[in-house]
Amino acid sequence: MNATPDTAAATMAAEHEAFIAAVATQLNSFLAEKRVLMEGISPATLVLVDSIKTLVTGGKRMRALLCYWGWRGAGGAADAPAIIAAGAALELFQAAALIHDDIIDRSDTRRGGPSVHRQFSTLHSDSGWALDDERFGHAAAILTGDLCLSLSEEMFAGIGAGAASRARAVFNLMRTEVMAGQYLDILEEVAGPSKPHETAVARASAIIRYKSAKYSSEHPLVLGGALAGASAELLGGYSAFALPLGEAFQLRDDVLGVFGDPAQTGKPAGDDLREGKRTVLVGLTIDNAGETDRTFVDRNLGRQDLSDADIERMCAIMVDSGALARTEDMIGELSGTAFAALARLPIDASVAGALSALGRGAVSRTA
Amino acid sequence: MNATPDTAAATMAAEHEAFIAAVATQLNSFLAEKRVLMEGISPATLVLVDSIKTLVTGGKRMRALLCYWGWRGAGGAADAPAIIAAGAALELFQAAALIHDDIIDRSDTRRGGPSVHRQFSTLHSDSGWALDDERFGHAAAILTGDLCLSLSEEMFAGIGAGAASRARAVFNLMRTEVMAGQYLDILEEVAGPSKPHETAVARASAIIRYKSAKYSSEHPLVLGGALAGASAELLGGYSAFALPLGEAFQLRDDVLGVFGDPAQTGKPAGDDLREGKRTVLVGLTIDNAGETDRTFVDRNLGRQDLSDADIERMCAIMVDSGALARTEDMIGELSGTAFAALARLPIDASVAGALSALGRGAVSRTA
């Protein structure tokens, strides 16, 4: 007897929730163990674990979920410990990346609360300690990120995926690629202005491929499949779906970073422009705007003291140059490619439905 | 036929050199592989791997060597791939720690060359890029350290030590403890001045235990033993030797950081005092100096603009308070405990000889 589409969707939604809950439980018990260890070293070190705990409690868990459905599509069982640990490892890795990203971007907020370096600088000033609060905040957050990165790996190693396994290879590649992508991102912020504006879009596209699309979408899905022993063909199909999906997701993120509603995104308006992120949207803007506008964007992007009027003018240039519309077109095209690839995947229809729902949410979201 | 002591020592010295060479070869071929991967992402990312390469090319390789002799003492074969990879993983981990430490300590030099964040800030200013060179240097070095930390783990995972193995547990514990110890270290710099001077020595002792002695000495030796399948008894004996040895090593480091010859240590005179390191030597000083001197040390430690005269006065206080002599006594006592434990180890005399030579070099060095 076949399930109707409605009951299949309900079953998948229940599975989705059960997996999220299982990952949360896994993270909680793992971090509780680490808390005992840290307390034995010194109660003063508990703040490190606690700030990691707060960070992994939030978030959409998109990477963990992609990993899960990649596993399920390849025949993995719904509540196997390995996939729960893999999801938890991805969440810890993402938390580590966020902690260090926020130092690099000088972001004071994260998921509606203070970023980790800000938590530590506040601890410093509230305690009336000596020397510089900001410097202490950065130093403590560098160490907390390092701890979180090690814990991510400890969690992944606990799965017992063999040294020569495809899953281990994906986990390794993911880490190297995202760090290379992040470097290209900060490099573009400083070196971009002196490079030809004709290649700005190509440069920004390479950044989102490595920093976002492969890391946040392709690798998690492929990792789940590899853990379940998927064929090379299925893994290739996963890539054909998840890479363009991840690119569309990041383009959506870039649009929201400039045009999103701060009440919904949790980020102040213009934050991305003050950070100087050289996104595809920015690339399209400086490649298509007239010279005066291009110079304005090039000179002002990344200035921490951008006024609201500067931000408004930059937004207007993004609209008037056609860059925003072109970005929306690209999101549409990439999504089309992704969902066509999804339709061709030799996986259970209910798993395909879950991946489709996840993907559509990612590219059409408002926060 | 037994080897004479002299030929045994010569054999051990040759083995020591062969192992160092094998670790170097392993690191070179591993980083060459990563270079190919990074070049495929973008040639602009090669600087990350190259700065790691430079860093792992230098150094005394003390952790790798302790790991090796721990392995040999437990019956591991001289040229087994697992121990070479473990040594290489420890070297990569140490390089990652140094990259982030140098950001935290604002150290511009490392092993006679520019530190990694300084290499990147110089690349920025030499290239005439936009925005701030120092901020770019820190951001790029955070990412390079993260990459190096991941590579260390990738190298360790390549050994294939099981998820539940003792060696994996040691590797995990080592990472958590050293990060907790580093946090206690930066915390002491800022919170130390407002804490009772009577507990300064105890606080500093806890820091060196986790940040240095366990990380640089006990865990590497135990890791090598665990990889070779040593008994719990032998591993306990390794700890009894290596923990006090590591404490003595760090006390020697602290003395050299203040009283060492810059020409030999490669660090500017007074660097540790300008950094505000609250070592056991400093703890003994503020606990034993008169009130005027104590206040002088407490107020000036960690000031980046300390004059040569300030440094000289601080050194004189360390000598006159008896703190330097007491530190030397502690080094002697800890070494005595360590070498007595070494004498009791149920290991081959030639391996014990190699560990003894390594240990004596560590505590009586001048650089």
Side-chain angles (χ1 to χ4, degrees), chain A residues 44 48 100 104 106 129-130 135 143 146-147 150 153-154 157 163 168 172 175 179 183 186-187 190-191 304, chain B residues 44 48 100 104 106 120 129-130 135 143 146-147 150 153-154 157 163 168 172 175 179 183 187 190-191 304:
Chain A
L48 279 76
H100 284 177
I104 291 171
R106 299 283 194 275
W129 288 336
R135 191 171 150 179
L143 296 174
D146 288 347
L147 175 63
S150 295
E153 186 283 318
E154 180 174 334
R168 169 48 83 171
N172 289 343
R175 295 185 298 176
M179 286 154 193
Y183 177 71
I186 61 163
L187 179 66
V190 297
Q304 302 283 310
Chain B
L48 278 77
H100 284 178
I104 291 172
R106 301 281 196 274
F120 279 105
W129 288 335
R135 192 173 150 179
L143 296 174
D146 288 348
L147 174 64
S150 295
E153 188 282 318
E154 180 175 334
R168 168 50 81 171
N172 289 344
R175 294 186 298 176
M179 286 156 193
Y183 176 72
L187 179 65
V190 296
Q304 303 283 309

Side-chain angles (χ1 to χ4, degrees), chain A residues 34 37-38 40-42 44-45 47-48 93 96 100-101 103-106 120 123-124 127-132 135-136 138-140 142-151 153-154 157-160 162-163 168 171-173 175-177 179-184 186-187 189-195 206 210 275-276 301-304, chain B residues 34 37-38 40-42 44-45 47-48 93 96 100-101 103-106 120 123-124 127-132 135-136 138-140 142-151 153-154 157-160 162-163 168 171-173 175-177 179-184 186-187 189-195 206 210 275-276 301-304:
Chain A
K34 296 300 159 197
L37 171 61
M38 302 287 273
I41 297 170
S42 163
T45 65
V47 279
L48 279 76
F93 183 82
H100 284 177
D101 263 6
I103 304 174
I104 291 171
D105 294 342
R106 299 283 194 275
F120 279 105
L123 176 65
H124 182 287
S127 309
W129 288 336
L131 306 174
D132 187 67
R135 191 171 150 179
F136 176 76
H138 285 190
I142 287 175
L143 296 174
T144 306
D146 288 347
L147 175 63
C148 195
L149 188 54
S150 295
L151 294 182
E153 186 283 318
E154 180 174 334
I159 299 172
R168 169 48 83 171
F171 191 70
N172 289 343
L173 183 63
R175 295 185 298 176
T176 299
E177 284 189 344
M179 286 154 193
Q182 285 180 294
Y183 177 71
L184 289 177
I186 61 163
L187 179 66
E189 281 181 24
V190 297
S194 51
K195 290 190 177 162
Y210 291 105
E275 275 173 30
L301 204 66
R303 276 183 42 210
Q304 302 283 310
Chain B
K34 296 300 157 197
L37 171 61
M38 302 286 275
I41 297 170
S42 163
T45 65
V47 279
L48 278 77
F93 183 82
H100 284 178
D101 263 6
I103 303 174
I104 291 172
D105 293 342
R106 301 281 196 274
F120 279 105
L123 175 65
H124 182 287
S127 308
W129 288 335
L131 306 175
D132 187 66
R135 192 173 150 179
F136 176 76
H138 285 189
I142 288 174
L143 296 174
T144 306
D146 288 348
L147 174 64
C148 195
L149 189 52
S150 295
L151 294 182
E153 188 282 318
E154 180 175 334
I159 299 172
R168 168 50 81 171
F171 190 71
N172 289 344
L173 182 64
R175 294 186 298 176
T176 299
E177 284 189 344
M179 286 156 193
Q182 284 180 294
Y183 176 72
L184 289 177
I186 63 163
L187 179 65
E189 281 180 23
V190 296
S194 51
K195 291 190 177 164
Y210 291 105
E275 275 173 31
L301 204 66
R303 277 185 39 213
Q304 303 283 309

Side-chain angles (χ1 to χ4, degrees), chain A residues 8-26:
Chain A
T11 307
M12 292 298 106
E15 233 189 279
H16 170 126
E17 293 305 326
F19 176 69
I20 297 242
V23 168
T25 302
Q26 176 88 357

Side-chain angles (χ1 to χ4, degrees), chain B residues 95-359:
Chain B
L98 292 178
I99 294 168
H100 284 178
D101 263 6
D102 284 342
I103 303 174
I104 291 172
D105 293 342
R106 301 281 196 274
S107 295
D108 286 342
T109 57
R110 171 59 64 185
R111 292 178 179 164
S115 52
V116 171
H117 64 92
R118 185 55 61 211
Q119 290 172 38
F120 279 105
S121 63
T122 302
L123 175 65
H124 182 287
S125 33
D126 287 354
S127 308
W129 288 335
L131 306 175
D132 187 66
D133 59 342
E134 191 163 327
R135 192 173 150 179
F136 176 76
H138 285 189
I142 288 174
L143 296 174
T144 306
D146 288 348
L147 174 64
C148 195
L149 189 52
S150 295
L151 294 182
S152 152
E153 188 282 318
E154 180 175 334
M155 177 68 80
F156 186 79
I159 299 172
S165 71
R166 176 72 195 251
R168 168 50 81 171
V170 174
F171 190 71
N172 289 344
L173 182 64
M174 175 190 84
R175 294 186 298 176
T176 299
E177 284 189 344
V178 71
M179 286 156 193
Q182 284 180 294
Y183 176 72
L184 289 177
D185 195 23
I186 63 163
L187 179 65
E188 181 65 15
E189 281 180 23
V190 296
S194 51
K195 291 190 177 164
H197 62 82
E198 294 84 356
T199 58
V201 174
R203 296 196 309 271
S205 298
I207 293 168
I208 66 169
R209 184 164 313 122
Y210 291 105
K211 187 189 165 170
S212 303
K214 281 178 171 286
Y215 162 55
S216 298
S217 181
E218 183 188 6
H219 290 321
L221 186 67
V222 171
L223 179 62
L227 278 172
S231 67
E233 195 196 344
L234 178 54
L235 296 181
Y238 278 177
S239 289
F241 161 60
L243 187 60
L245 177 75
E247 290 176 336
F249 173 89
Q250 186 55 48
L251 293 178
R252 171 61 58 221
D253 208 59
D254 293 343
V255 169
L256 289 172
V258 178
F259 294 96
D261 176 0
Q264 289 195 54
T265 62
K267 289 174 75 173
D271 223 31
D272 277 15
L273 301 174
R274 287 199 184 90
E275 275 173 31
K277 280 196 189 171
R278 299 214 156 231
T279 60
V280 170
L281 173 64
V282 168
L284 287 165
T285 304
I286 61 172
D287 197 26
N288 290 291
E291 195 163 329
T292 314
D293 283 350
R294 174 191 308 145
T295 307
F296 178 81
V297 172
D298 244 348
R299 292 223 175 125
N300 287 288
L301 204 66
R303 277 185 39 213
Q304 303 283 309
D305 61 346
L306 276 184
S307 69
D308 288 351
D310 292 335
I311 302 240
E312 264 177 52
R313 177 160 171 210
M314 249 188 243
C315 289
I317 297 172
M318 289 178 165
V319 174
D320 297 345
S321 63
L324 176 61
R326 178 70 196 113
T327 305
E328 290 289 354
D329 285 349
M330 288 173 73
I331 294 174
E333 288 158 19
L334 288 162
S335 301
T337 305
F339 290 110
L342 174 59
R344 288 193 303 270
L345 283 180
I347 56 174
D348 190 90
S350 58
V351 173
L355 281 171
S356 176
L358 203 59

Side-chain angles (χ1 to χ4, degrees), chain A residues 44-55:
Chain A
T45 65
L46 290 175
V47 279
L48 279 76
V49 191
D50 292 342
S51 66
I52 292 171
K53 173 85 186 287
T54 305
L55 207 48

Side-chain angles (χ1 to χ4, degrees), chain A residues 39-345:
Chain A
E39 190 159 27
I41 297 170
S42 163
T45 65
L46 290 175
V47 279
L48 279 76
V49 191
D50 292 342
S51 66
I52 292 171
K53 173 85 186 287
T54 305
L55 207 48
V56 297
T57 301
K60 306 182 196 75
R61 308 221 187 276
M62 198 181 90
R63 293 166 197 83
L65 284 163
L66 283 166
C67 189
Y68 179 73
W69 293 115
W71 161 271
R72 294 286 282 134
D79 53 2
I83 190 61
I84 296 165
L90 289 175
E91 292 294 311
L92 285 165
F93 183 82
Q94 169 65 2
L98 291 178
I99 294 168
H100 284 177
D101 263 6
D102 285 341
I103 304 174
I104 291 171
D105 294 342
R106 299 283 194 275
S107 295
D108 285 342
T109 57
R110 170 61 64 184
R111 292 177 178 165
S115 53
V116 171
H117 64 91
R118 185 53 63 209
Q119 291 172 36
F120 279 105
S121 64
T122 301
L123 176 65
H124 182 287
S125 33
D126 287 353
S127 309
W129 288 336
L131 306 174
D132 187 67
D133 60 342
E134 191 164 328
R135 191 171 150 179
F136 176 76
H138 285 190
I142 287 175
L143 296 174
T144 306
D146 288 347
L147 175 63
C148 195
L149 188 54
S150 295
L151 294 182
S152 152
E153 186 283 318
E154 180 174 334
M155 177 69 78
F156 186 79
I159 299 172
S165 71
R166 176 73 195 252
R168 169 48 83 171
V170 174
F171 191 70
N172 289 343
L173 183 63
M174 175 190 84
R175 295 185 298 176
T176 299
E177 284 189 344
V178 71
M179 286 154 193
Q182 285 180 294
Y183 177 71
L184 289 177
D185 195 23
I186 61 163
L187 179 66
E188 182 64 16
E189 281 181 24
V190 297
S194 51
K195 290 190 177 162
H197 63 84
E198 294 84 358
T199 59
V201 174
R203 296 195 309 272
S205 298
I207 293 169
I208 66 170
R209 183 164 312 123
Y210 291 105
K211 187 189 166 170
S212 303
K214 281 177 171 286
Y215 163 55
S216 299
S217 183
E218 183 189 5
H219 290 321
L221 186 67
V222 172
L223 179 61
L227 277 171
S231 67
E233 193 196 344
L234 178 54
L235 296 181
Y238 278 177
S239 290
F241 161 60
L243 188 60
L245 177 74
E247 291 176 336
F249 173 88
Q250 185 55 47
L251 293 179
R252 171 61 58 220
D253 207 59
D254 293 345
V255 169
L256 288 171
V258 178
F259 293 96
D261 176 359
Q264 289 195 53
T265 60
K267 289 173 76 173
D271 224 31
D272 278 17
L273 301 174
R274 288 199 183 89
E275 275 173 30
K277 280 196 190 169
R278 299 211 157 233
T279 60
V280 171
L281 174 63
V282 169
L284 285 165
T285 305
I286 61 174
D287 197 26
N288 290 293
E291 195 162 332
T292 315
D293 284 348
R294 174 190 307 145
T295 308
F296 179 82
V297 173
D298 244 348
R299 291 222 177 125
N300 286 289
L301 204 66
R303 276 183 42 210
Q304 302 283 310
D305 61 345
L306 275 184
S307 70
D308 289 351
D310 292 334
I311 303 246
E312 264 178 52
R313 176 159 174 209
M314 249 188 242
C315 290
I317 296 172
M318 287 176 167
V319 173
D320 297 344
S321 63
L324 177 61
R326 177 72 195 112
T327 306
E328 290 290 353
D329 286 349
M330 286 173 75
I331 294 173
E333 288 157 18
L334 288 162
S335 302
T337 306
F339 290 110
L342 174 59
R344 287 192 304 271
L345 283 180

